[in-house]
Amino acid sequence: AQSVTQLDSHVSVSEGTPVLLRCNYSSSYSPSLFWYVQHPNKGLQLLLKYTSAATLVKGINGFEAEFKKSETSFHLTKPSAHMSDAAEYFCVVSDLPDYKLSFGAGTTVTVRA
Amino acid sequence: SQTIHQWPATLVQPVGSPLSLECTVEGTSNPNLYWYRQAAGRGLQLLFYSVGIGQISSEVPQNLSASRPQDRQFILSSKKLLLSDSGFYLCAWTVYRGPDTGELFFGEGSRLTVL
């Protein structure tokens, strides 16, 4: 069975500085990986996904993530944080045989002016 | 374009009262439908999913139930609410199968407080 670990429960950055959200996964086959963002009292929105194509994946709002099989990681980055990036971020993995989803516990991002 | 509607947005209910949360999807057909719960400070917990009308799979034993009376309608119910049922309930859908199944589209959520 697959699982996902988000290594930081909370990340605080200054506006204009880089953001790094770390995600490690375990999987028996060839996983698909996703990052979602959730603003307060809202539903989740897909930022980007990896489904065995290019290992460097670009998403919306300037985010990107790199799939590293050797490190079983799928870290999310953004070169320059904006105040609107303050939210909770979830890493998600799915895999064979039934593509059930496993959500990470989430990382809360705060952005300081 | 596809949209998802979830209501009510906010609900305050006494312990022991019934519950009905509704979710409808527009602009697509035969979606997979999901109910998730998000308790304060915790991640998402899958409660139910459905691959078709009348087909419901339960992930977690509890006093909640789900029904799918129409292709694009998904209802979450309880006969008697418990304090532990408080949380943020999210409906989601996807038409993908296989590796893209994790590409979900979420509703705005329903916040339930049981007193």
Side-chain angles (χ1 to χ4, degrees):
Chain A
Q2 72 269 19
S3 66
V4 60
T5 302
Q6 291 184 240
L7 300 172
D8 307 290
S9 60
H10 187 251
V11 169
S12 180
V13 299
S14 297
E15 191 175 20
T17 65
V19 181
L20 169 64
L21 305 183
R22 298 181 294 166
C23 172
N24 285 106
Y25 68 91
S26 66
S27 170
S28 302
Y29 301 96
S30 296
S32 297
L33 292 149
F34 309 80
W35 275 100
Y36 283 85
V37 61
Q38 183 184 29
H39 289 92
N41 296 309
K42 296 292 185 182
L44 280 71
Q45 180 186 19
L46 182 70
L47 281 175
L48 48 78
K49 67 177 181 180
Y50 166 79
T51 55
S52 78
T55 56
L56 182 61
V57 181
K58 294 188 183 299
I60 62 172
N61 301 336
F63 285 95
E64 65 179 37
E66 186 171 9
F67 173 72
K68 291 187 176 180
K69 186 174 183 178
S70 61
E71 299 176 10
T72 61
S73 69
F74 190 55
H75 300 335
L76 181 71
T77 61
K78 182 172 180 178
S80 176
H82 190 270
M83 296 300 288
S84 61
D85 295 326
E88 189 159 21
Y89 294 78
F90 293 94
C91 182
V92 182
V93 63
S94 74
D95 203 355
L96 291 167
D98 52 9
Y99 296 107
K100 276 192 175 180
L101 301 182
S102 294
F103 279 77
T107 298
T108 300
V109 172
T110 57
V111 182
R112 304 184 302 271
Chain B
S1 63
Q2 303 95 340
T3 56
I4 178 169
H5 302 283
Q6 191 179 336
W7 72 92
T10 307
L11 198 59
V12 180
Q13 292 285 97
V15 169
S17 63
L19 171 74
S20 181
L21 300 179
E22 191 162 340
C23 171
T24 60
V25 180
E26 296 178 357
T28 189
S29 60
N30 195 30
N32 281 359
L33 294 169
Y34 305 81
W35 278 112
Y36 284 90
R37 178 169 60 200
Q38 190 173 25
R42 299 173 65 178
L44 271 72
Q45 179 186 37
L46 178 63
L47 301 176
F48 300 95
Y49 70 94
S50 172
V51 299
I53 296 174
Q55 302 178 63
I56 309 295
S57 296
S58 174
E59 290 294 301
V60 181
Q62 63 222 317
N63 71 321
L64 299 172
S65 62
S67 62
R68 185 171 177 172
Q70 300 179 44
D71 181 47
R72 291 169 287 179
Q73 184 184 28
F74 205 23
I75 298 171
L76 183 69
S77 303
S78 174
K79 292 182 179 179
K80 288 186 177 182
L81 284 168
L82 306 173
L83 287 174
S84 58
D85 291 324
S86 293
F88 193 50
Y89 289 80
L90 289 158
C91 181
W93 69 273
T94 184
V95 292
Y96 295 106
R97 307 291 187 265
D100 288 306
T101 303
E103 187 167 345
L104 298 175
F105 301 90
F106 284 83
E108 291 286 283
S110 298
R111 184 162 301 282
L112 171 66
T113 302
V114 182
L115 301 174

